[in-house]
Each structure stands twice: as structure tokens, then as C-alpha cells.
Amino acid sequence: MSFEVQDLYDVIKIVTLLILSRTAKIDLSKLRDRIEELCEHRICVEPGDLNRALSELANEGLVTVKGEYIELTSVGSKVSGDWKSLLLKSEPILEVVAGLTDGSITSLMIILSSFFARLSSKLTIFAALLTLASVAITNFSSFFLGGVTEDISEIIALKRLMDYSLSDNPDRGQRLKSIELLEQIFTLLNREVQKANITSAIVCALTTLFAGFTPILVYLLLPTPYNLLSSVALIGSIVVLLLARYRSKMTRIPLKITLLETLIIILIATFASILLGTSL
């Protein structure tokens, strides 16, 4: 399947892959019903159009048609996931990375400040609650407001490109059907993107709190100096086992490279925070 959307059948194939991204196997009648719902029950996709699109998907090795059932192949599952990730922004990569990074750095600053300033447990808890809550709320609002704005802007740009590609179709009837169906798809996508951004913002905030409070709890519960050593070791584990490995998995970059990049960024941010703190 080419990335360029050239005709009605390409649009139907995208819709089918998006539907199958939620359930790898579906009855043909249910697929028709889903597409009709997307079209708001207006006749914009005829059975012959759907059958041809499914035939093309099968020939491309993305789906298998067994009687009245359509099922994704292994290749189709990957392509379906890629379309879903592109259009629905469903992979919370940036949110998890930002949450783990901000939470780890913030907790490290709180722990070091508490240790060297010899703060009491109550003051440490107060500082942790105040600081981590501020960071989590900031991350939530940034990802929600900024994410919605950025994602919808990208969706609009992508729709323009697809509309332009479809406008070259010499078949006027098919061209109008394609544009109408595409319009319905992107109307739905706008709603889904807003929902996804709320989820992303929550994920980022919760990840920040998790990465921040866990080492601080270890620091408060253990006696000195084991509390400092254990909490710093835990932060290191979060950075290595969670942050670096997650980045390596999602970007398909070797773990050694992502680990080195992550450690450098964490160290720079930590030393910058310490320098700013000591200069005040």
C-alpha cells in the first residue's frame, strides 16, 4: 500500500486499517456498519467499492479474507499500527520520556537538597509535594494544551495533502466520494486526538509523580547514609531500566547510545540545578 492517497479505494483501505487496529479480526457486515457510521449513514461507500479495497489489501498482503471475516496479517498489523500512530497520535513516547526525566531530576534535586541541608522529614515531604505537584501540573497543562494544538495542526496539514492528492482523480463521482469520506475521517480524528491528548497529559503527570515520589519515599524510609545511596541508585535504575530502554525500544536505537545520551542530559540538568541552587 502506497503512502499517497490517490483514490477512493486508498481512503477505504485507510479506514479499514484504522478499524482493524482496534480489533485484528472483524466480520464483513460489521466493517460495513462501522464505515456507514463513519459516513453518518450517508451512502458514500458502495459494497463494490469496499470489496475492491479489501481485495487490494489482500493482494498487498495486509489482510486475509476468510469467508465473511477480515483479519490482519503480521505485516498488516504493523502498517495498521503505523497509520493509527500517525493519525491518532496513540504512542505516548514523549509523555513517558518527559515524565521519567522530569520526575527523576526533580527527585534527585529534592534528595540532595534535603541531605546536604539536613532537612527534617516533614520539610522534605513538604518540598517534595510542592515541587513534584508543580512539575506534574505543568507537564499536564503543557501536554494537554500544546499537544492538542500541535496534533490538530498536523492533522489539518495532512488532510490538505490528501485532499490535494485526491483532487487529481479524473472520475468526478469517485473524487467527491473520496473527499466526503476523508472529511468524515478527519472530523472523527479531531475528536479522537483531543481524547488522546487528555490521556497523554495524564500519563505524563502520573509518570512524573511516579518517577519523583518513589526515590523520595526510599530516602525517607531508610536510615542515613543508606537512604541517600539507595535513593540515588533507584533514580539510576529508573534512568537506565525505564527511560533509556524505553527510548531505545521506541526509537530502535541501540541501548548503549540512548543510555549515553540520557545520562549526559540528566547529568547536565542535575549540575545546572545544583549550580543555580548554590548561587542563590
Side-chain angles (χ1 to χ4, degrees):
M1 179 180 178
S2 63
F3 180 79
E4 186 179 3
V5 181
Q6 298 175 322
D7 52 33
L8 175 63
Y9 310 113
D10 287 338
V11 180
I12 296 173
K13 287 191 283 186
I14 293 173
V15 174
T16 302
L17 289 174
L18 287 174
I19 292 172
L20 287 172
S21 67
R22 297 185 176 181
T23 172
K25 186 177 181 180
I26 192 171
D27 184 86
L28 182 58
S29 61
K30 288 185 178 179
L31 178 61
R32 289 197 190 100
D33 292 341
R34 296 271 185 92
I35 295 176
E36 285 182 7
E37 287 176 8
L38 183 63
C39 298
E40 297 180 348
H41 298 284
R42 290 179 291 183
I43 302 174
C44 59
V45 177
E46 297 177 1
D49 297 329
L50 177 58
N51 291 335
R52 176 170 171 177
L54 291 175
S55 178
E56 290 184 8
L57 283 173
N59 291 334
E60 292 164 1
L62 300 180
V63 301
T64 56
V65 181
K66 299 177 181 178
E68 290 296 312
Y69 287 92
I70 300 98
E71 187 174 2
L72 285 174
T73 63
S74 57
V75 176
S77 181
K78 293 178 182 178
V79 174
S80 174
D82 288 339
W83 274 107
K84 182 180 178 182
S85 179
L86 174 67
L87 296 176
L88 297 178
K89 311 294 181 181
S90 58
E91 288 288 347
I93 300 173
L94 183 59
E95 299 87 324
V96 173
V97 170
L100 290 175
T101 303
D102 292 348
S104 299
I105 293 174
T106 304
S107 65
L108 183 59
M109 291 300 96
I110 293 170
I111 289 168
L112 292 177
S113 300
S114 176
F115 182 80
F116 289 115
R118 297 182 180 180
L119 298 179
S120 64
S121 297
K122 289 184 178 180
L123 286 176
T124 302
I125 293 172
F126 176 76
L129 288 172
L130 185 64
T131 308
L132 283 171
S134 300
V135 174
I137 291 171
T138 302
N139 282 348
F140 177 87
S141 57
S142 298
F143 273 92
F144 178 60
L145 298 176
V148 168
T149 305
E150 181 182 8
D151 290 347
I152 290 182
S153 176
E154 291 176 357
I155 288 292
I156 291 172
L158 185 59
K159 183 179 181 299
R160 284 201 197 103
L161 292 173
M162 289 185 177
D163 281 338
Y164 179 76
S165 181
L166 289 170
S167 65
D168 289 338
N169 193 331
D171 188 329
R172 184 175 182 276
Q174 191 184 92
R175 183 173 67 250
L176 293 176
K177 281 185 180 181
S178 304
I179 293 173
E180 181 183 5
L181 180 56
L182 197 65
E183 184 70 34
Q184 296 300 321
I185 292 173
F186 278 92
T187 299
L188 176 64
L189 287 177
N190 281 336
R191 294 196 295 265
E192 292 295 325
V193 162
Q194 292 186 33
K195 292 178 184 177
N197 274 281
I198 294 175
T199 303
S200 298
I202 293 172
V203 167
C204 185
L206 292 178
T207 307
T208 302
L209 294 175
F210 165 77
F213 275 120
T214 306
I216 292 171
L217 286 174
V218 172
Y219 175 78
L220 292 172
L221 293 174
L222 295 179
T224 306
Y226 302 108
N227 56 352
L228 178 64
L229 297 174
S230 300
S231 57
V232 171
L234 181 57
I235 292 172
S237 300
I238 291 173
V239 171
V240 174
L241 298 179
L242 296 181
L243 182 54
R245 287 188 65 182
Y246 183 78
R247 290 186 63 231
S248 176
K249 177 183 176 182
M250 301 310 297
T251 59
R252 297 179 183 178
I253 296 175
L255 179 59
K256 291 181 180 179
I257 297 176
T258 58
L259 178 58
L260 181 61
E261 291 175 347
T262 304
L263 288 175
I264 290 173
I265 293 170
I266 295 292
L267 288 174
I268 291 173
T270 302
F271 282 120
S273 300
I274 292 173
L275 289 174
L276 288 172
T278 54
S279 64
L280 295 177

